Amino acid sequence: MPRSRCPRPALPILRWLPRYSRAWLPLDLLAGLAVGLTTVPQALAYAELAGLPLQYGLYSSFMGCFVYCILGTAKDVTLGPTAIMSLLVSSYASHEPVHAVLLAFLSGCIQLAMGLLHLGFILDFISCPVIKGFTSAASITISFNQIKNILGLQGIPRQFFLQVYETLRRIGETRAGDAVLGLTCLAALAGLRAMKSHVPRAGPAEALAVRISHLIVWISGTARNALVVLFAGLVAYSFQVMGSQPFRLTGSIPQGLPAFRPPRFSLAAPNGTVPFQSLVQDMGVGLAVVPLMGLLETIAIAKAFASQNGYRIDPNQELLALGVANVLGSFVSSYPITGSFGRTAVNAQSGVCTPAGGLVTGALVLLSLSYLTSVFCYIPRAALAALIISAVLPMFDAAIFRTLWRVQRLDLVPLCVTFLLCFWEVQYGIVAGVLVSGILLLYSIARPPMKVSEGAVLLVQPGSSLHFPAVEHLRDCVCSHALPASPPRSVILDCCHVSSIDYTAVLGLAELLQELRRHGLSLAFCGLKDPVLRVLLSADLEGFQHFPSREEAGEALGCSARTG
């Protein structure tokens, strides 16, 4: 995407559209087509995962493409339903389309507000171990959730532990047709993925036959989801024509585009109407988890591909784009969407030049809704299950456990807490992981490292800024080293690493000055940064003295300080 030296227009589309090159058009068309061939079968599969009728996957797959083309700042990112978001929708939308669409609207409003208020920094409090723990647990949960469709079992509960128990108990009821087809589709998807990743692209100097063969391999690998679903559908249709059907099929899907209307804020029930307040209460913590995880997934993907392909993104603009996409998507019966790593990778590998590739993807989804839903009824559920398992298994990151054990073992605590509790309930795992990460962060603030050098005077050097939880720790460190010594020693506080200080910390320093003075000792400060010095001078501490260096502070106390 071209870079402009002029002030950037408010709408991201105006940054690239006026300079759109004719040479970019075939690449954008190819990328949009490749992503579309991935999107349509995935949309059907993810709706199944979310516990919604399959058409809602398609309803959720086109609005994000159009909105992001106008408001997005990353050329590679594609918005739509994902495995993670579908799992969350399954947890918080009660498998009711009305709940899911309303959740998209409310999530979009929250994301839009966060973008307008520049609150994207909140996402920084969700640490990498929490994210890895959640995605790794989700990959196992989602995969096992689809085992029932691979085996052709029905009536399996959705809670993970009950699901494992019931699946193992009823494994003898496995339908042979579904199992054979599901495993065949899994093997085909794995083979096509491996074939694409291991065959290098042919150079322009290669023979024509070689370049054509490489192109066939690339197309087969990129469109593997569509090819496998098409193959499974043809097999199922063949059996249907012969008068027998060994597979469980998806069933009929309504044809045509969804009506453009606002989401419903109440739900008709047999015993009355469920009001808006009750719907919101049913969603519970999902109103925080869904928008935050959607933002986190989108921005993480955008940053990764922007870094890889040499351009910059605007995180707050990404929040606005995702918020608008979810709000407008709810008007066409979409459930919450976010950035898709898999489809974004396909987009980037296809050589997309601008977000205009999303227009082709969105158009392909609309064409599928208008003309192809009548043939979707022949798609076996086992094939969709294989597609989901193939998409989520790479999300399990076994290496992160070894890496954290080697690099920072304390980070294994939020990782394991999140990973284990997500098998119970997703929201418990995420909330507990964030809380544990927060406690570890607060502990590092409350107990900053203190470097103590003993000599004629005591030199104490805090390793980070001083805030109110750290005051008692600093006082204990100083008093435990300075007062028991024989004779007691004055103290130099080297603040070269202290970049900020709050009022409670200032009060603590005042008390420390008084305590040392009662014992006939002095406290001198050195290495104060300007913001910290201004705060301490404004506080007018009795007996406060500061010096540019340790040596000058030591001379003022009547001796030389050790510099160790």
Side-chain angles (χ1 to χ4, degrees):
M1 293 172 63
R3 296 180 182 177
S4 173
R5 296 181 182 178
C6 301
R8 295 193 303 176
L11 283 177
I13 189 174
L14 298 179
R15 301 172 195 170
W16 56 265
L17 186 59
R19 302 188 175 201
Y20 195 86
S21 168
R22 192 179 303 174
W24 297 345
L25 182 60
L27 293 171
D28 284 345
L29 288 173
L30 175 64
L33 184 62
V35 174
L37 291 174
T38 303
T39 298
V40 172
Q42 279 192 345
L44 300 172
Y46 290 153
E48 163 77 17
L49 177 60
L52 300 173
L54 299 193
Q55 65 267 25
Y56 283 88
L58 295 172
Y59 294 165
S60 305
S61 299
F62 62 87
M63 184 60 77
C65 300
F66 300 140
V67 170
Y68 197 83
C69 178
I70 299 171
L71 299 178
T73 60
K75 70 180 180 68
D76 300 299
V77 169
T78 62
L79 300 183
T82 66
I84 293 290
M85 196 54 63
S86 299
L87 175 67
L88 295 176
V89 169
S90 173
S91 300
Y92 299 119
S94 308
H95 305 164
E96 282 285 346
V98 172
H99 285 72
V101 174
L102 182 59
L103 181 58
F105 176 80
L106 296 176
S107 297
C109 290
I110 294 170
Q111 292 162 342
L112 200 53
M114 289 180 67
L116 293 172
L117 297 174
H118 291 234
L119 296 179
F121 71 91
I122 292 175
L123 301 175
D124 296 337
F125 288 93
I126 304 178
S127 66
C128 179
V130 173
I131 297 169
K132 290 293 186 180
F134 165 64
T135 54
S136 295
S139 71
I140 296 174
T141 303
I142 293 170
S143 297
F144 206 89
N145 179 267
Q146 296 305 307
I147 294 295
K148 65 179 186 293
N149 289 326
I150 293 284
L151 301 180
L153 302 178
Q154 293 179 282
I156 301 293
R158 299 186 74 89
Q159 206 284 332
F160 179 74
F161 297 108
L162 292 176
Q163 198 175 87
V164 172
Y165 171 75
E166 280 295 312
T167 300
L168 295 177
R169 187 178 70 84
R170 296 174 51 191
I171 200 165
E173 303 173 20
T174 299
R175 292 167 55 105
D178 285 311
V180 170
L181 181 66
L183 293 174
T184 301
C185 290
L186 273 174
L189 288 166
L192 289 170
R193 181 199 295 270
M195 186 173 64
K196 181 187 174 185
S197 61
H198 287 88
V199 176
R201 287 192 176 183
E206 299 278 0
L208 179 62
V210 173
R211 280 184 286 161
I212 292 175
S213 63
H214 279 258
L215 180 63
I216 292 172
V217 169
W218 182 84
I219 292 174
S220 300
T222 301
R224 59 184 177 274
N225 292 331
L227 290 177
V228 167
V229 168
L230 177 63
F231 162 77
L234 289 174
V235 172
Y237 178 74
S238 301
F239 277 103
Q240 188 81 9
V241 169
M242 291 187 294
S244 64
Q245 189 53 264
F247 313 122
R248 290 181 57 232
L249 305 181
T250 57
S252 61
I253 297 175
Q255 187 169 356
L257 304 181
F260 189 84
R261 61 189 177 198
R264 291 163 57 187
F265 294 94
S266 61
L267 178 64
N271 55 352
T273 301
V274 181
F276 175 71
Q277 295 88 338
S278 297
L279 293 176
V280 171
Q281 288 174 358
D282 291 342
M283 295 173 194
V285 73
L287 286 175
V289 173
V290 170
L292 285 179
M293 291 308 297
L295 292 174
L296 186 66
E297 203 169 355
T298 300
I299 291 180
I301 291 168
K303 284 183 176 180
F305 282 88
S307 173
Q308 177 181 317
N309 295 322
Y311 60 88
R312 296 180 62 83
I313 65 160
D314 181 349
N316 284 304
Q317 182 63 41
E318 292 295 304
L319 301 189
L320 292 174
L322 183 60
V324 172
N326 271 314
V327 170
L328 291 182
S330 68
F331 281 71
V332 291
S333 302
S334 165
Y335 67 83
I337 62 173
T338 184
S340 165
F341 186 87
R343 295 193 295 274
T344 298
V346 170
N347 210 21
Q349 292 164 7
S350 302
V352 72
C353 297
T354 69
L359 298 178
V360 181
T361 302
L364 195 60
V365 175
L366 292 177
L367 288 173
S368 299
L369 275 167
S370 299
Y371 301 108
L372 298 180
T373 52
S374 59
V375 300
F376 289 160
C377 64
Y378 293 107
I379 299 175
R381 290 184 179 272
L384 294 181
L387 193 152
I388 293 175
I389 293 172
S390 174
V392 301
L393 275 183
M395 290 174 8
F396 182 78
D397 189 356
I400 190 65
F401 293 89
R402 297 192 300 272
T403 301
L404 291 182
W405 179 262
R406 187 178 66 254
V407 176
Q408 178 57 277
R409 294 181 184 180
L410 197 59
D411 282 338
L412 281 169
V413 178
L415 173 73
C416 293
V417 167
T418 306
F419 179 75
L420 294 174
L421 286 183
C422 276
F423 290 117
W424 180 20
E425 289 287 350
V426 171
Q427 64 268 31
Y428 297 155
I430 295 173
V431 171
V434 171
L435 286 176
V436 171
S437 292
I439 291 171
L440 295 178
L441 176 63
L442 291 174
Y443 183 82
S444 68
I445 295 173
R447 296 293 181 268
M450 298 285 177
K451 182 180 179 182
V452 179
S453 302
E454 300 190 14
V457 296
L458 186 71
L459 177 65
V460 178
Q461 186 183 71
S464 63
S465 295
L466 292 176
H467 296 290
F468 63 91
V471 175
E472 287 302 319
H473 178 57
L474 174 63
R475 288 181 60 186
D476 291 344
C477 180
V478 170
C479 294
S480 63
H481 285 84
L483 300 184
S486 182
R489 289 168 291 185
S490 293
V491 180
I492 298 174
L493 192 61
D494 186 350
C495 298
C496 64
H497 298 304
V498 179
S499 59
S500 62
I501 190 170
D502 60 29
Y503 179 67
T504 306
V506 172
L507 292 181
L509 291 175
E511 294 172 3
L512 179 60
L513 280 165
Q514 293 175 2
E515 185 170 357
L516 292 175
R517 197 161 50 249
R518 284 197 301 269
H519 290 83
L521 304 175
S522 299
L523 173 63
F525 294 78
C526 71
L528 289 169
K529 299 184 185 298
D530 287 341
V532 178
L533 179 58
R534 283 196 297 270
V535 171
L536 293 176
L537 290 175
S538 301
D540 195 22
L541 301 178
E542 184 179 351
F544 173 68
Q545 49 185 335
H546 66 95
F547 304 91
S549 66
R550 299 178 184 179
E551 291 75 15
E552 292 176 79
E555 290 174 5
L557 295 181
C559 56
S560 60
R562 289 182 58 185
T563 59

